[in-house]
C-alpha cells in the first residue's frame, strides 16, 4: 500500500468551520466512508430497506483547482528540505509536522491545518529553495540509509532525471503556497 500526500488550499472561513466541527474534514476533502459489510443477522434475515438518497454533505468538497497532489514524492521532499526522515525544524519539516491536527486519524495521522501565517512561512521557505539545493541534498546513499519512502537512483542520468522531476514538483508546490498565502488562505496536509 502506498503512502500518498495531498495538500489542499482552504479559506479562513473554512478553517474556522473545521475548528468548530473537525469531523467535517472528510466531507471537505471529499472522502467517502466505505459501505459497511453485512453482518450475520443481515445475511440471515435480509437487509432492511434503505433510503436511496445519499446523505447530504455538511460542506462542499475542495475543488481540484485547490488541490496539489504530491503522491509518493512527499517523503523524499521532506528529507531533501529537512535533512532527516521525520520531524525536523520548522518550516523545512512542514510536510510531516506542524500545524494543528483536524478530524479523525485515517491511518497515518489526522489531517493537519496550517493557518495562514504558517502557510506564509512555508511559501517563504519554498522561495529559498533552488535546483542546486535539491541537487546537493539528493545523495542516494543517505536517502537509502534514512529509510526514505523513495527509490533513489545511483545511475547519474537517472539520478539527474529524478532531481529535475522533484524540482518540478517543488516549483509547483511553491506556486501553490505563494498563491494561497497571497489570498490569505490556509492549507490542509493529508498523508494517507
Amino acid at each position: 500500500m502506498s503512502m500518498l500526500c495531498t495538500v489542499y488550499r482552504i479559506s479562513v472561513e473554512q478553517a474556522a468551520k473545521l475548528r468548530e466541527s473537525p469531523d467535517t474534514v472528510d466531507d471537505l476533502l471529499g472522502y467517502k466512508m466505505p459501505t459497511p459489510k453485512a453482518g450475520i443477522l443481515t445475511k440471515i434475515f435480509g437487509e432492511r430497506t434503505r433510503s436511496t438518497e445519499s446523505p447530504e454533505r455538511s460542506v462542499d468538497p475542495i475543488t481540484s483547482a485547490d488541490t496539489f497532489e504530491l503522491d509518493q514524492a512527499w517523503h523524499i521532499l521532506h528529507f531533501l528540505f529537512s535533512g532527516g526522515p521525520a520531524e525536523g525544524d520548522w518550516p523545512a519539516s512542514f510536510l510531516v509536522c506542524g500545524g494543528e491536527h483536524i478530524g479523525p486519524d485515517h491511518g497515518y495521522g489526522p489531517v493537519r491545518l496550517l493557518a495562514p501565517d504558517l502557510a506564509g512561512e512555508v511559501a517563504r521557505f519554498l522561495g529559498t529553495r533552488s535546483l542546486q539545493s535539491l541537487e546537493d541534498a539528493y545523495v542516494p546513499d543517505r536517502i537509502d540509509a534514512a529509510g526514505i519512502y523513495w527509490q533513489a537512483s545511483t545511475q547519474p542520468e537517472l539520478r539527474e532525471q529524478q532531481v529535475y522531476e522533484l524540482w518540478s514538483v517543488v516549483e509547483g508546490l511553491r506556486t501553490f503556497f505563494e498563491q494561497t498565502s497571497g489570498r490569505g488562505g490556509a492549507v490542509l496536509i493529508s498523508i494517507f
Side-chain angles (χ1 to χ4, degrees):
M1 180 179 211
S2 296
M3 288 176 62
L4 307 174
C5 179
T6 304
V7 181
Y8 303 91
R9 177 181 11 249
I10 62 171
S11 67
V12 174
E13 294 78 21
Q14 288 170 310
K17 287 179 184 177
L18 280 176
R19 286 187 179 109
E20 290 172 15
S21 303
D23 290 339
T24 62
V25 73
D26 288 349
D27 288 342
L28 189 63
L29 300 182
Y31 290 167
K32 293 181 181 177
M33 295 305 292
T35 306
K37 293 184 179 184
I40 188 72
L41 294 177
T42 301
K43 290 178 182 176
I44 295 170
F45 296 110
E47 193 169 341
R48 287 188 285 166
T49 56
R50 295 184 184 173
S51 169
T52 57
E53 297 177 21
S54 60
E56 288 191 31
R57 292 184 177 275
S58 58
V59 293
D60 291 330
I62 296 172
T63 66
S64 61
D66 291 323
T67 303
F68 191 89
E69 302 283 347
L70 286 168
D71 295 322
Q72 295 179 8
W74 66 273
H75 202 202
I76 183 63
L77 289 176
H78 168 73
F79 178 82
L80 297 175
F81 294 156
S82 71
E87 300 289 325
D89 294 333
W90 178 262
S93 62
F94 76 94
L95 287 171
V96 298
C97 60
E100 155 184 5
H101 290 224
I102 298 286
D105 184 338
H106 289 289
Y108 298 110
V111 171
R112 289 181 298 109
L113 170 65
L114 303 184
D117 60 327
L118 296 181
E121 289 178 24
V122 172
R124 288 186 292 282
F125 167 76
L126 290 171
T128 67
R129 302 295 89 198
S130 66
L131 175 59
Q132 187 61 54
S133 68
L134 216 64
E135 174 78 32
D136 293 345
Y138 199 92
V139 180
D141 292 341
R142 287 191 61 229
I143 293 167
D144 290 341
I148 301 303
Y149 187 63
W150 181 262
Q151 187 62 46
S153 178
T154 57
Q155 293 181 305
E157 304 83 27
L158 188 51
R159 179 189 177 279
E160 183 178 350
Q161 179 183 352
Q162 288 178 330
V163 170
Y164 277 105
E165 287 173 2
L166 289 169
W167 176 243
S168 176
V169 174
V170 171
E171 289 180 309
L173 190 60
R174 180 182 62 225
T175 299
F176 184 89
F177 270 91
E178 286 173 350
Q179 290 173 348
T180 303
S181 182
R183 296 176 189 173
V187 169
L188 295 174
I189 298 177
S190 174
I191 297 176
F192 56 97

